[in-house]
Amino acid sequence: MYYTRIDGLRALAVGAVMASHYLPKEYLMGVSWGSYGVHLFFVISGFLITGILHRSSIDGTLDTLRAFLFRRVLRIFPLYYFCLAFITMMGWAEMGQDAWWHWTYLSNWFFWSEGTWVEGHPAHFWSLAVEEQFYLLWPLLFLILRRKSALGAGALLVVISLLFRLDLFGIGSTEPHLWNVTTIACIGSLGLGACLSVVIDKFKTKTIGAMWLMSLLPLLTVHVGRCFYQIPSELVHQCFVCSSTLLIWFVCRAERTWLDLFFENRLVRFLGTISYGLYIWHNFMGSPWYGMADYFSFPDGITYGIPGILGKSMLTVFFASATWYGFEKPLLKYKSRFNYG
């Protein structure tokens, strides 16, 4: 089933990530926009992938599992590897001998193995590595469980991730950059999305909307509270993930909502459609932008100010649109060759 408002949620998520990388820290108001955007993507992925697995009737046959994996590869791999090849050829990222971590979808474990957050243009690939690892793990669990315990399995992922995070991060810890990118630390968001896919038709829409609105209160409270008290970042994170899950539940069930002013906007939906490309390309746009600024002798106010942010954003949309229409969209028609049966 295709949920049109999911495109709006994707646009919201990628916008938050781009803001965290493009805007100066003083404009971020102390909010971890990048982390919020990534985990919103995780919940969406868990929700959609689990729904696909249910509809594909993965009941223990390797054929359906193989079809699922081939369709995922066709959707994800081409742009990812094209981007890696392109930035390497253009010299937009210096990965050196560590490049193989990115080429094998192990970027997140690269940061963990280094013992430090490795800054650089491909740094955002860690979340793509987490998703790809989940795509390998989750269908196998479906194959073993034969769909009967999907809700329990999703809940188990949530519990394991929560216990892992609480044990490592502690109640009063600072932002845990290293462990926060490991797969086990992120499967809670993916697991919540999986649980949502199972219960999506439960409860009335008004009830779901009320639950979402009520979830905003603790989320806002912890954010305001951080200005005055030492509130654990983990509490803020969990409030956001729960609120995001309820938001997805509500917008996928509601027939009409005032949120449609955003979710049904044509530009927003288009940005959501190309959100994968926006995420892939955005962290590399500094290279062409600063190259243009140097070539045309832009003043610093344009190069590094608001015009610079807009310039990099426009370049991101251009690259994402070009690759979407150039080969992403044409390749999607081949997904029909891999039927679930």
Side-chain angles (χ1 to χ4, degrees):
M1 182 179 295
Y2 180 72
Y3 300 98
T4 58
R5 297 188 186 106
I6 288 291
D7 288 333
L9 288 167
R10 288 193 179 109
L12 199 63
V14 77
V17 174
M18 290 174 64
S20 72
H21 290 155
Y22 285 175
L23 295 178
K25 288 186 177 181
E26 56 267 26
Y27 292 105
L28 298 178
M29 301 177 290
V31 179
S32 302
W33 296 108
S35 177
Y36 283 1
V38 166
H39 282 272
L40 178 54
F41 271 129
F42 285 160
V43 179
I44 292 172
S45 293
F47 169 63
L48 294 178
I49 292 305
T50 305
I52 291 172
L53 292 173
H54 270 293
R55 291 190 297 275
S56 64
S57 299
I58 289 188
D59 55 3
T61 63
L62 290 176
D63 288 339
T64 49
L65 176 59
R66 189 180 301 113
F68 169 81
L69 293 176
F70 273 126
R71 289 167 70 95
R72 285 291 88 198
V73 165
L74 192 61
R75 177 67 187 96
I76 296 170
F77 279 22
L79 178 58
Y80 181 78
Y81 286 115
F82 174 80
C83 178
L84 278 175
F86 187 84
I87 63 174
T88 301
M89 179 181 66
M90 298 296 292
W92 288 1
E94 296 181 4
M95 293 180 285
Q97 62 182 6
D98 300 320
W100 71 272
W101 290 95
H102 302 296
W103 285 89
T104 55
Y105 277 102
L106 293 172
S107 305
N108 60 325
W109 294 107
F110 170 55
F111 297 133
W112 175 80
S113 68
E114 288 293 296
T116 183
W117 182 262
V118 182
E119 297 289 349
H121 294 160
H124 62 303
F125 282 172
W126 73 267
S127 65
L128 302 178
V130 169
E131 293 217 23
E132 190 60 33
Q133 292 157 29
F134 174 74
Y135 293 155
L136 293 175
L137 166 69
W138 192 235
L140 289 175
L141 285 177
F142 259 76
L143 191 67
I144 296 171
L145 298 173
R146 297 175 180 268
R147 299 190 304 162
K148 296 180 180 179
S149 304
L151 180 61
L156 181 61
L157 294 183
V158 175
V159 172
I160 291 174
S161 179
L162 182 60
L163 292 176
F164 176 82
R165 295 176 69 96
L166 291 177
D167 180 56
L168 287 172
F169 303 155
I171 296 300
S173 66
T174 56
E175 187 66 26
H177 288 299
L178 285 180
W179 290 100
N180 207 27
V181 301
T182 57
T183 308
I184 193 171
C186 298
I187 56 174
S189 300
L190 291 154
L192 267 179
C195 292
L196 174 58
S197 181
V198 178
V199 302
I200 186 66
D201 294 323
K202 308 295 183 182
F203 299 107
K204 295 181 179 179
T205 304
K206 289 184 178 180
T207 303
I208 302 167
M211 289 192 295
W212 171 61
L213 289 174
M214 285 189 293
S215 74
L216 295 178
L217 180 60
L219 180 61
L220 293 173
T221 300
V222 293
H223 269 296
V224 174
R226 294 190 78 179
C227 299
F228 307 98
Y229 305 101
Q230 186 69 24
I231 296 179
S233 60
E234 185 60 23
L235 177 60
V236 181
H237 168 81
Q238 295 299 337
C239 285
F240 171 78
V241 172
C242 291
S243 183
S244 296
T245 305
L246 290 169
L247 173 61
I248 297 170
W249 196 354
F250 173 66
V251 299
C252 288
R253 284 285 306 276
E255 292 185 8
R256 285 187 177 182
T257 168
W258 55 272
L259 295 174
D260 286 344
L261 291 172
F262 175 82
F263 288 114
E264 296 295 341
N265 181 276
R266 292 182 65 181
L267 176 60
V268 170
R269 290 188 60 186
F270 173 71
L271 294 176
T273 300
I274 63 170
S275 59
Y276 181 48
L278 293 173
Y279 189 87
I280 286 279
W281 289 111
H282 83 277
N283 228 23
F284 303 105
M285 292 300 100
S287 294
W289 174 253
Y290 296 131
M292 289 172 55
D294 183 61
Y295 182 81
F296 292 107
S297 300
F298 291 165
D300 287 350
I302 293 179
T303 304
Y304 302 103
I306 298 299
I309 296 173
L310 293 175
K312 287 188 288 186
S313 299
M314 291 176 65
L315 281 173
T316 303
V317 173
F318 171 78
F319 270 81
S321 300
T323 50
W324 169 252
Y325 288 111
F327 67 86
E328 277 188 275
K329 188 177 180 180
L331 282 176
L332 291 180
K333 64 182 180 181
Y334 293 104
K335 290 174 68 175
S336 60
R337 296 188 177 185
F338 305 101
N339 295 318
Y340 293 115

